[in-house]
Amino acid sequence: MSDLAWVPQSCTLPIEDRPLRVAEWDALFAERLTSMRRPERLQLRLDLADSPGVEDRVRDLVERESGCCSFFTFTTTPGQDLVRLDISVDQAHEEVLDALAARTAAAGEQR
């Protein structure tokens, strides 16, 4: 899934920086994803295995992503041995969430 055509026009991250950001997310999911589910059509829930620095890493990525893709709503919740990341979008960006879910699943399979 190296093609970034799924990234919407509303993303303000410079095009040349997008592959690097996607690679950061892919690496996080490949290293830490323990479960993924869609509790609602416009929400993706990810559980990431916790260890020192993981929550800070997730929060840093969320902060930077929120700065360029305002259509995402992120909620980070630490738990026992995991960091839960809920990602929501509005109806206009459901296809973006679908693509993100597929990409996340593929990265998580690399574990």
Side-chain angles (χ1 to χ4, degrees):
M1 284 197 181
S2 60
D3 181 21
L4 298 180
W6 59 274
V7 177
Q9 293 293 329
S10 55
C11 177
T12 62
L13 187 66
I15 291 172
E16 63 273 7
D17 293 338
R18 291 177 186 179
L20 298 173
R21 178 71 56 81
V22 169
E24 283 185 83
W25 283 110
D26 285 351
L28 176 68
F29 300 146
E31 295 165 16
R32 296 286 160 191
L33 185 68
T34 61
S35 73
M36 178 183 89
R37 57 195 168 282
R38 292 285 285 269
E40 297 178 21
R41 187 173 53 89
L42 301 176
Q43 181 184 12
L44 180 63
R45 174 167 286 165
L46 309 173
D47 287 336
L48 307 168
D50 197 11
S51 69
V54 171
E55 183 180 352
D56 291 338
R57 182 178 172 192
V58 171
R59 289 186 185 278
D60 174 61
L61 270 168
V62 162
E63 183 177 330
R64 289 185 287 133
E65 196 68 25
S66 295
C68 63
C69 295
S70 61
F71 53 85
F72 282 125
T73 300
F74 296 99
T75 304
T76 306
T77 308
Q80 186 172 354
D81 300 324
L82 67 85
V83 176
R84 174 163 288 154
L85 177 60
D86 287 306
I87 306 170
S88 301
V89 296
D90 57 22
Q91 189 168 356
H93 291 93
E94 183 176 2
E95 289 182 6
V96 176
L97 191 64
D98 292 342
L100 179 62
R103 186 166 197 95
T104 300
E109 290 174 1
Q110 296 177 10
R111 275 191 92 192

